[in-house]
Amino acid sequence: MIEPYTYRIKPSQEKNPVWKTVNLQRKVEHLQIADFIQKENSFAILFVSMKFHYKFPLYLDGLISEFVKSEDYSNNQNRVLILLQDSNDPSDCLHDITMKCLKANIK
């Protein structure tokens, strides 16, 4: 049984450094598309760092495309992208990322 307010995370997020700074219960879910899900409050969260986005600029397009077709999207009213600003050069991609999220109804 999953404890209340447990975050369901996909396997690729197990080593995310965020877990070193927050003390939240989590359970790995192998079939989910969202990086994190907090079911009790209907949150589906995507996570990307700017450094990763610069290295793999098409990753976010593919993730959003897959996400909007998934049960993670349809079962959670609150859809959020957490963007880690770990780069010195945000350039114009912040605007592009914001527009992609708005079109997909991701806050």
Side-chain angles (χ1 to χ4, degrees), residues 8 10 13 16 32-38 43-49 59-68 70 72-73 78-84 97 100-101 104-107:
R8 295 170 178 147
K10 71 180 183 183
Q13 292 298 325
N16 187 320
Q32 76 183 39
I33 304 302
D35 292 309
F36 310 104
I37 293 178
Q38 208 284 312
F43 270 95
I45 302 166
L46 303 179
F47 177 87
V48 69
S49 78
Y59 170 79
L60 193 55
D61 291 334
L63 179 61
I64 289 173
S65 177
E66 190 177 6
F67 177 59
V68 298
S70 72
D72 295 351
Y73 184 90
N78 302 302
R79 303 169 197 113
V80 177
L81 172 71
I82 296 176
L83 182 64
L84 175 63
I97 291 171
K100 289 174 189 182
C101 289
N105 198 23
I106 299 170
K107 310 294 188 256

Side-chain angles (χ1 to χ4, degrees), residues 25-37:
Q25 292 188 27
R26 58 193 181 272
K27 180 180 187 308
V28 176
E29 293 286 341
H30 293 276
L31 299 178
Q32 76 183 39
I33 304 302
D35 292 309
F36 310 104
I37 293 178

Side-chain angles (χ1 to χ4, degrees), residues 70-106:
S70 72
E71 287 185 13
D72 295 351
Y73 184 90
S74 59
N75 291 343
N76 293 284
Q77 295 175 319
N78 302 302
R79 303 169 197 113
V80 177
L81 172 71
I82 296 176
L83 182 64
L84 175 63
Q85 174 53 355
D86 57 355
S87 170
N88 293 332
D89 180 25
S91 70
D92 291 332
C93 73
L94 284 176
H95 179 265
D96 294 337
I97 291 171
T98 300
M99 294 310 295
K100 289 174 189 182
C101 289
L102 289 174
K103 288 178 184 175
N105 198 23
I106 299 170

